[in-house]
Amino acid sequence: MDTAPGLTFRDATDVDVDVLVALIESAYRGDSSRVGWTTEADILDGRRTDPQGVLDVIKSPDSRLLTVERDGTVVACCQLEHRGDHVYFGMFAVSPALQGAGLGKTIIAEAERIAVETWAAGEMHMTVISVRDDLIAWYERRGYRRTGRMSPFPYGDERFGVPLRDDLRFELLVKELRRPVTP
């Protein structure tokens, strides 16, 4: 689906797995992530995701892995998972070379529209590592609010990365979504 000039939004398929893993890794881990501002390289080492994790999201019946292309090249993605009255937003990655140019705002707006249109969701939820003040501030400017509800970081489970500090935890951020008014 085309919703912004030059961008195509579509659901990921099995053939996208390797490209999406590389995109997500490049946005959050290692030196390549330092080109953008979403890097977690100073707080986490190791992998951000793996092919099985991406494939699980693609195959989940209550989930969509929205893939964003520009001129036929995958430049971003995000997970939308229907959870009752809300949709969970995760696995959000924008190519580091394209960060800071407004692409993220466009993608999150489209994700919110899809959550309402597809599942009539009243809220979007996400979890963010609580020490990521710059990232949380970005989401707050998009209408998300901090809840103060924390969940533990899965220390010892390297599927989520190798922590470089001992104070990591996730904070729940929530945004109320506007549902269309029915006449």
Side-chain angles (χ1 to χ4, degrees), residues 79-80 87-90 92 104-105 107-113 115 123-128 135-147 171-177:
Q79 172 192 10
L80 299 171
V87 169
Y88 179 80
F89 178 83
F92 186 29
K105 292 181 220 176
I107 294 164
I108 200 165
E110 177 64 5
E112 291 166 358
R113 186 195 67 76
E123 291 181 336
M124 186 83 87
H125 290 196
M126 70 176 71
T127 53
V128 179
L135 186 58
I136 291 171
W138 187 87
Y139 285 120
E140 287 179 312
R141 291 191 299 276
R142 313 272 101 52
Y144 288 81
R145 65 177 171 76
R146 298 182 86 154
T147 64
E171 182 171 1
L172 175 66
L173 305 182
V174 175
K175 180 178 182 180
E176 189 171 326
L177 301 176

Side-chain angles (χ1 to χ4, degrees), residues 20-168:
L20 292 171
V21 169
L23 170 70
I24 294 163
E25 292 298 313
S26 75
Y28 291 97
R29 298 289 199 275
D31 287 336
S32 65
S33 70
R34 294 181 194 281
V35 172
W37 67 273
T38 61
T39 184
E40 294 174 342
D42 294 327
I43 60 172
L44 290 163
D45 203 359
R47 298 188 63 93
R48 170 75 186 243
T49 192
D50 60 25
Q52 188 60 53
V54 171
L55 189 60
D56 289 347
V57 172
I58 291 170
K59 296 293 187 188
S60 174
D62 292 324
S63 199
R64 295 174 70 174
L65 187 51
L66 193 61
T67 301
V68 185
E69 293 180 340
R70 176 180 280 160
D71 301 324
T73 300
V74 175
V75 296
C77 67
C78 66
Q79 172 192 10
L80 299 171
E81 183 179 330
H82 183 228
R83 295 183 179 177
D85 63 347
H86 71 274
V87 169
Y88 179 80
F89 178 83
M91 212 174 273
F92 186 29
V94 174
S95 173
L98 300 174
Q99 291 177 16
L103 188 57
K105 292 181 220 176
T106 301
I107 294 164
I108 200 165
E110 177 64 5
E112 291 166 358
R113 186 195 67 76
I114 289 170
V116 170
E117 184 179 286
T118 304
W119 294 297
E123 291 181 336
M124 186 83 87
H125 290 196
M126 70 176 71
T127 53
V128 179
I129 296 173
S130 63
V131 298
R132 298 289 318 277
D133 295 328
D134 54 345
L135 186 58
I136 291 171
W138 187 87
Y139 285 120
E140 287 179 312
R141 291 191 299 276
R142 313 272 101 52
Y144 288 81
R145 65 177 171 76
R146 298 182 86 154
T147 64
R149 291 176 41 199
M150 301 290 179
S151 56
F153 187 87
Y155 284 92
D157 188 342
E158 291 190 8
R159 291 177 303 161
F160 298 95
V162 178
L164 300 176
R165 46 194 288 179
D166 63 3
D167 62 343
L168 302 181

